[in-house]
Amino acid sequence: MQKNSKRNNNSRVSGIELNSVDAEKEKKESQNNFVELLPPEVTFKIFSQLDIQSLCRASVTCRSWNNTVRNSDSLWKPHCLTLRAVCQREIDDDLESGYSWRVILLRNYQKSKVKHEWLSGRYSNICSPLSLPEKIMYPMDVDTWGEILEAELER
């Protein structure tokens, strides 16, 4: 009985020590985190200079960066508008459906890359389905394939 009581006291003490160590660690990380130190406008300006890949990497750096990047729709909008040159209908449909700019980008980024390749004629001389690069293909809807077919027929 006494052993059990002693074990519980030890676990409580070590739990308290761990909590204080964690709190100290978080405090130290917070002091090194410009997102928490700078005004939101400055943080936004810094993140707005990043390309899509860097923005995604920044969002997995830490919790506060993730919250800032994920919840700042205006960081994603310029990237979506760039994609809109290739996927105008898709972007407009997603906007009408009420998706955030970040979600629109996630939904259309890979599609825009593949669609751009098709529309630019990269796959015009493909002789068989086996010649297609399987890893970069992306499922697309009927309207998108219609656009690609029209572009091929015009060539």
Side-chain angles (χ1 to χ4, degrees):
M1 187 81 160
Q2 219 172 3
K3 270 186 179 180
N4 205 6
S5 172
K6 195 173 187 179
R7 191 178 313 142
N8 287 340
N9 284 340
N10 285 342
S11 66
R12 262 188 256 140
V13 170
S14 62
I16 292 169
E17 288 172 6
L18 284 177
N19 287 340
S20 65
V21 169
D22 289 342
E24 188 64 34
K25 185 178 175 185
E26 280 184 33
K27 183 178 176 185
K28 196 173 195 175
E29 286 174 4
S30 179
Q31 290 172 346
N32 295 327
N33 188 347
F34 75 87
V35 170
E36 294 175 1
L37 297 174
L38 295 175
E41 302 81 25
V42 176
T43 300
F44 172 77
K45 184 68 176 166
I46 292 168
F47 282 136
S48 68
Q49 302 300 311
L50 300 177
D51 61 16
I52 294 170
Q53 188 175 18
S54 300
L55 200 54
C56 291
R57 285 182 180 155
S59 73
V60 296
T61 302
C62 68
R63 205 173 286 147
S64 66
W65 286 32
N66 181 291
N67 290 334
T68 302
V69 170
R70 186 180 193 99
N71 297 326
S72 183
D73 217 28
S74 51
L75 286 174
W76 301 98
K77 183 177 180 179
H79 299 295
C80 282
L81 295 178
T82 302
L83 292 184
R84 192 173 181 274
V86 178
C87 293
Q88 181 176 351
R89 183 185 39 76
E90 293 90 336
I91 302 289
D92 292 345
D93 288 349
D94 284 352
L95 276 173
E96 285 178 22
S97 298
Y99 290 107
S100 69
W101 286 110
R102 185 183 70 80
V103 172
I104 291 171
L105 183 71
L106 293 172
R107 288 172 51 90
N108 293 289
Y109 181 72
Q110 191 64 32
K111 183 189 296 186
S112 74
K113 288 173 61 177
V114 173
K115 186 175 177 181
H116 176 71
E117 296 289 321
W118 277 99
L119 292 174
S120 67
R122 177 164 184 206
Y123 303 117
S124 291
N125 298 323
I126 298 292
C127 301
S128 76
L130 299 175
S131 303
L132 289 171
E134 188 178 317
K135 287 187 178 180
I136 66 163
M137 291 294 106
Y138 188 83
M140 292 183 265
D141 59 22
V142 173
D143 292 331
T144 303
W145 283 115
E147 289 177 47
I148 291 168
L149 181 58
E150 283 178 18
E152 286 296 319
L153 292 173
E154 288 175 9
R155 281 192 191 90

